[in-house]
Amino acid sequence: MNRYSNKASVAADTLALMRLSGKRALVIGGGGAGIGRAVTNAFGAEGAAVVVADIDADRASEAADALREQGFTAYGVAGDVRSLTDIEAMVAGAVEKLGGLDVLVTVVGGQVAFVPAVKLHEMADRDWDTIYEVNLRYVARAVRAALRVFLEQGSGGTIVSVGSVTGFMAAPQQAAYGVMKAGLLSLARTVSAEYAADGIRMNVAAAGAVATAVANAAGDGSWVDEVPVGRLGRSEEVAAAVVYLASDESAYMTGQQLVLDGGVSVRGPFS
């Protein structure tokens, strides 16, 4: 069992690690469920004070309450990543609640949860725009807002975006999603080039197929056979990578992607 998933044992098993001790973090976009919830739990277990942002206010509050019950510092806030006003309010709210900000994590994304999976010539323009909104535009907006905070504080900062292997592989029937995830990698590289001297880093955790409620609803799971390790990834495994990228253990790493795909991207055509 992953040490972040068992509420009763989290504090006892992980207090000695505390890789994010003293860090003030905002987990934005789906922080109360799926991969976002796993990241929230992991950050609390590793000593970070966390603001959980989710479009569902009850879900955000429940996630924060669960951490506080274990003695961790956490707050829940509601906001829609499609709204610039909401994004700026979520970042400002995190700064107010935590007394500053050291880490930004962007999580929410996808295509099949928002629009149909179709070939490119069949895709409606409005659907392309939707995928842009929920995969790339909100990240750029959140990153801009966080950068302003980091620069004003003068003590650096770390940004981690949950991306996808479709950002560097073909994405049949999900062209928009692949394009936006490729954009995340470009954004991370540019942020790194522009702000490394200010002590600001940005990296991407590029996930393959992960067993979430959304993924389960999107198909029958038969494509698991295409994963060399023979199973889907777990949200906690992505969260562990995000913790690493947010911690000082990865201090010499910026503008990079950490791939978690069960070997999909390195499988040969005759494997």
Side-chain angles (χ1 to χ4, degrees), residues 16-160:
L17 298 177
M18 303 297 277
R19 288 180 290 169
L20 299 178
S21 180
K23 301 288 187 183
R24 300 160 296 184
L26 169 61
V27 180
I28 189 170
I35 292 173
R37 179 63 176 271
V39 170
T40 296
N41 290 342
F43 269 47
E46 294 288 358
V50 186
V51 168
V52 187
D54 197 294
I55 194 170
D56 186 322
D58 291 338
R59 197 163 57 193
S61 295
E62 192 277 328
D65 289 345
L67 285 178
R68 285 199 298 272
E69 288 173 2
Q70 300 172 72
F72 304 126
T73 301
Y75 305 90
V77 299
D80 188 340
V81 296
R82 294 168 295 186
S83 164
L84 174 60
T85 300
D86 280 12
I87 287 174
E88 292 181 339
M90 286 186 278
V91 174
V95 171
E96 180 180 0
K97 291 178 183 297
L98 302 177
L101 189 66
D102 304 300
V103 181
L104 169 70
V105 181
T106 66
V107 181
V108 73
Q111 175 160 319
V112 294
F114 303 99
V115 304
V118 296
K119 288 187 176 181
L120 182 56
H121 75 281
E122 299 173 316
M123 190 171 198
D125 202 52
R126 64 180 179 277
D127 289 344
W128 183 280
D129 291 345
T130 294
I131 299 309
Y132 170 50
E133 281 187 318
V134 298
N135 285 280
L136 183 57
R137 186 170 71 175
Y138 94 88
V139 177
R141 286 172 163 177
V143 167
R144 284 203 314 262
L147 285 171
R148 293 171 187 138
V149 173
F150 294 158
L151 292 170
E152 183 177 352
Q153 292 175 163
S155 54
T158 305
I159 302 165
V160 184

